[in-house]
Amino acid sequence: MKFIDEFRDSRLARGLLRRIEDLAHELPVVRFMEVCGTHTMAIYRSGLRHLLPENIVLISGPGCPVCVTANQYLDRAIAYARLPEVIVCTFGDMMRVPGSSSSLELERGRRADIRVVYSPLDALEVARQHPSRRVVFLGVGFETTAPAVAAAIQQAASEGLANFFVSSAHKVMPPALAALTTDGRLRIDGFILPGHVSAIIGVEPYQFLAAEYRKACVIAGFEPLDVLQSILLLVQQVRDGRRAVEIQYSRVVRPEGNPRARALMEQVFVPSDAEWRGMGVIAGSGLALRSEYRSHDADATLDVTVEPTVVHPACRCGEVLRGLCEPQQCPLFATACTPETPIGACMVSTEGTCAACYKYGRRVETGVSDG
């Protein structure tokens, strides 16, 4: 396929691996974290971890938006869905994520009106078609999806569509990276930074990682050659003793990002504290609706009782998301917790570390496949 095959060329991959190996033998063990679920899936699918020199270690971080969404948010969404006059609209990945005692999928089976949409504009159309009912869109994601949600909220306001609401669980990545960097339990030498998020925010929000914390940083694309080239750039930074934020994904990401998208976000959202699964509440890492859009803020206007949060005591999703353990170290992995019967959020999403490891990682390590 044009524009895909070029980035999966095995001959070029072998060349990049040789260059990484040539530089790596000069280095001690170095640890790079990818903080995008799409990178995690690409790395597992391509088997890159097992092709790299032993002293180049890749760690998966909190890059899957569904995975980092806390149970409390899921429980609130389920409470909305139980209201008889409410239609809940959500991206498909959220359906099977277990809350404290239920999931959106289970609630739909109990006749709650929950609809999978591909865009917040689809939810807006549902609101137009059902003016007598309240439509709640679950706003989950990072800077990548927030501009589209902001546009939908502004459109609803301009149309006077009073039955359209958003429950915002949007998060921004730089505060989470700062939290990971200052976590004394984890040593990270560099970050493979998210290409999609960076297309919006550009380079500047990451500069503190290189300037203050001396972390190597590369904004990477998502094909195998993108990831390998990004690792090569990271290794070069470490070998040369310099730290910078470099762009490997230059066919999409500009240093200044997308100013129009950011302006749209700023018109609708304000920074807020947000809870991340496994990481707790991180100051300034969320996006809440501005007061002028309060009438479209589900969490501010819809009164529901949310059940107390319960997390499975054996689930280690939180540690997986912080890079403190591998999926195989969780006692539930591939036994009680599988893609068919997920217990942790990381096993549900197509960008989840446990799902990627289950689908692709076990082939290399045990010869077991998903069939």
Side-chain angles (χ1 to χ4, degrees), residues 66-80:
V66 170
C67 303
V68 299
T69 300
N71 265 24
Q72 197 271 347
Y73 179 85
L74 261 300
D75 295 338
R76 178 173 290 275
I78 289 166
Y80 291 145

Side-chain angles (χ1 to χ4, degrees), residues 255-272:
E256 69 276 16
N258 186 328
R260 292 184 64 185
R262 288 201 304 279
L264 187 56
M265 289 168 57
E266 290 167 5
Q267 289 166 16
V268 175
F269 295 112
V270 291
S272 64

Side-chain angles (χ1 to χ4, degrees), residues 119-130 135 159 161 164:
S119 159
L121 297 180
D122 294 340
L124 207 59
E125 183 58 28
V126 174
R128 293 189 190 102
Q129 293 172 356
H130 300 277
V135 175
E159 292 182 27
L161 210 56
F164 178 77

